[in-house]
Amino acid sequence: MMSIPQWITATIAALPRRHRLLLSGISALLVVLLLLPSEPATASRQSANLDNQQTELEIGKRYDLSLELAQAEATTPLEVSVNTTGSAPTAGPEQQLNWTSHTVRSGDSLARIFDKMGFTPQQLYVLTRDAQAEKMLRRIHPGETLRFARDDNGELAQLTYQLSATETLVVSKEGERYRSDIETKTIESRPSFAFAKITSNFWNAGLEAGLTSQQIMSVADMFGWDIDFALDIREGDEFSLLFERNYVDGEFIGFGKVLAAEFVNRGQVFQAILHDNGQYYTAEGRAMRKSFLRSPVNFTHITSNFNPRRLHPVTGQVRPHNGIDYGAKTGTPVMSAGDGKVIASAYNNLNGHYVFIQHGERYVTKYLHLSKRLVKNGQRVKQGELIGRVGATGRVTGAHLHYEFLVDGVHRNPRTVELPQAESLAGTELPRFRGIAEQRLAALNTNKRIYLAML
Ligand SMILES: [Zn+2]
């Protein structure tokens, strides 16, 4: 794409200055129109499609694109629709109803509310003869809202009670009785985009990009098999996210799934795309999940890069160092890097408290200087399971985890060693995933281009 689409620049120019500043912030959250190809296409064809679509859009109007994966393989293009939701509960077609609402207070009972609203106990009795209405209305809590509709005669024609963001109990008068229904609204997921460049640390960059802690953690989880978030993150690294924002009746109710993400770590690009089985894969369909975590300590706990080339405090020589040291406070949780079986859980003067884990035939991981061991010899452990806590036991100068990774008995660098993968996609799953991946990556890349062009 040669230039920023005109409608976007026009929209930005029309914004108040404060908003423009916000937008130009390097990691401000960006929600822009997602332009998607109408069919799986090559990169060059996508640009052509994008340009076609743009010319049909109006400046200053807000468009929402639904990213329906079920339709990923369908020939119909993704829907472009102006949001026109937001209607009141439905009443009888001819009747003009008069609505009032009541917010439940502590100590309120249904009887008291009915009384306050000017309805008789008899009306409440008739209404609660509907079993579902009776059951649901028994659950009212302070702060919730009941809405009452009177007909021309002042009688209770309808009552609504919102059960959740998507469900509402609607009790309607039908002749001499009341009938209840649960109206379900659909959650509309709108794709959104965020970009972050790391200046101080990964966590702050995520927060500055407007992401929630949960979203930041999910990025670390997604890429945690390829990137050691404790030690490998550098200033200038960047990541972008395509994720869902969920709406009901046009009202934001929360964040949904991360659909695709890209992480650039020291110039190396990693991409993860959500498949409809709930797992993340590379664009080629290889599982993001590996048999081993890159780091047995959560990056949020790392205090510093521990210096592994330090002189030994006792011998005064550089001690041969076969592992990685993670500087972290005493008590920091240590996880098993992979599924396996504990082959040692013991103490000696050099290692302090230590745990060794065997993973399959070829791999062994070792965790040294623990303050606490939480597993026993012979015990089976899962990847990510808590096995101990960081300490300063054994021959050490400060609290840290010393971590070793052995392949066929040989020490390897756990941060760079090629790790065995979990299952990758194959057969008919693969082409189906590729269709999904292509769309999501195209959306991610388009947003990133537009975002970066606006800076
Ligand atoms: Zn060490």
Side-chain angles (χ1 to χ4, degrees), residues 69-94:
L69 273 180
Q71 299 175 0
E73 278 187 314
T75 48
T76 46
L78 291 153
E79 285 170 40
V80 180
S81 62
V82 180
N83 182 26
T84 55
T85 48
S87 53
T90 45
E94 308 93 10

Side-chain angles (χ1 to χ4, degrees), residues 310 319 321 323-325 369 400-403:
R310 71 203 176 283
R319 171 170 122 196
H321 201 266
I324 296 233
D325 291 324
H369 313 311
H400 74 283
L401 172 74
H402 173 101
Y403 175 55

Side-chain angles (χ1 to χ4, degrees), residues 145-222:
T145 302
L146 295 172
R147 299 183 75 236
F148 298 85
R150 283 185 174 80
D151 60 19
D152 294 339
N153 309 322
E155 283 203 45
L156 180 59
Q158 200 166 59
L159 178 155
T160 70
Y161 169 46
Q162 195 167 346
L163 303 169
S164 68
T166 53
E167 288 186 323
T168 306
L169 173 75
V170 179
V171 191
S172 312
K173 192 165 189 209
E174 279 188 10
E176 293 307 305
R177 308 174 49 190
Y178 287 89
R179 256 185 56 106
S180 68
D181 265 310
I182 293 177
E183 278 186 2
T184 307
K185 286 169 186 162
T186 46
I187 294 177
E188 183 202 352
S189 290
R190 300 180 196 164
S192 276
F193 174 79
F195 174 86
K197 204 175 189 87
I198 295 166
T199 50
S200 58
N201 66 51
F202 166 65
W203 190 266
N204 286 348
L207 290 179
E208 279 162 29
L211 301 176
T212 63
S213 359
Q214 209 186 348
Q215 287 174 314
I216 299 171
M217 286 309 298
S218 75
V219 173
D221 286 346
M222 225 176 277

Side-chain angles (χ1 to χ4, degrees), residues 13-35:
L15 287 171
R17 190 179 143 69
R18 196 164 58 88
H19 291 184
R20 261 182 281 159
L21 280 175
L22 261 179
L23 269 177
S24 64
I26 190 150
S27 50
L29 178 73
L30 179 68
V31 183
V32 295
L33 172 66
L34 295 166
L35 301 155

Side-chain angles (χ1 to χ4, degrees), residues 276-287:
D276 52 15
N277 63 4
Q279 303 291 314
Y280 288 89
Y281 297 88
T282 67
E284 295 77 35
R286 288 200 304 270

